[in-house]
Amino acid sequence: DVQLQASGGGLVQAGGSLRLSCVASGFTFDDYGMGWFRQAPGKEREAVSCIRSSDGLTYYADSVKGRFTISSDAAKNTVYLEMNTVKPEDTAVYYCGAGALSGSNLYELFRYGMDYWGKGTQVTVSS
């Protein structure tokens, strides 16, 4: 079974940093695009960033470009989201997702969503 275990959320002050981690299991890591999405109260889930670990291709939402960095470690089946200079509007539940690259390219996964989702981790940024 595909499992995605996210961790690292918490309370952080505006301007601070946080690192999220997502450990994946149940599939071949390099065959999947991995990504982070978020959902704020009263809003729809939105894409934050995605990565293709085989070659490091990444996509970012405009709202996080220059502040967030996605990375992956295939040896550990883990994807990370380094969040810097966080803002109150970054407050949301962050979800880790995985999508098969056999059926969609990375941009399609970023744009339309993943095949599998983990439980979210709450990030709260105080002003």
Side-chain angles (χ1 to χ4, degrees):
D1 291 349
V2 172
Q3 293 192 10
L4 300 168
Q5 183 65 50
S7 62
L11 175 64
V12 59
Q13 287 190 332
S17 299
L18 207 60
R19 189 175 83 154
L20 306 183
S21 300
C22 175
V23 180
S25 62
F27 60 92
T28 302
F29 194 73
D30 280 352
D31 291 343
Y32 278 67
M34 301 293 296
W36 291 95
F37 291 66
R38 67 187 182 187
Q39 187 167 19
K43 296 187 177 181
E44 293 187 354
R45 186 177 297 186
E46 63 175 357
V48 176
S49 184
C50 290
I51 188 168
R52 186 170 66 195
S53 62
S54 60
D55 62 1
L57 176 65
T58 59
Y59 292 106
Y60 291 93
D62 288 343
S63 59
V64 306
K65 280 180 181 177
R67 300 189 298 119
F68 292 9
T69 302
I70 192 170
S71 62
S72 64
D73 185 339
K76 296 181 178 180
N77 282 5
T78 302
V79 62
Y80 305 96
L81 185 69
E82 187 75 36
M83 305 168 63
N84 295 315
T85 319
V86 295
K87 303 175 181 180
E89 51 263 44
D90 294 322
T91 295
V93 177
Y94 283 70
Y95 296 91
C96 174
L101 292 169
S102 59
S104 303
N105 61 41
L106 187 67
Y107 182 75
E108 289 170 335
L109 296 176
F110 179 72
R111 176 70 176 83
Y112 301 113
M114 298 291 186
D115 301 319
Y116 301 99
W117 299 99
K119 292 182 180 179
T121 184
Q122 176 72 46
V123 172
T124 303
V125 182
S126 63
S127 57

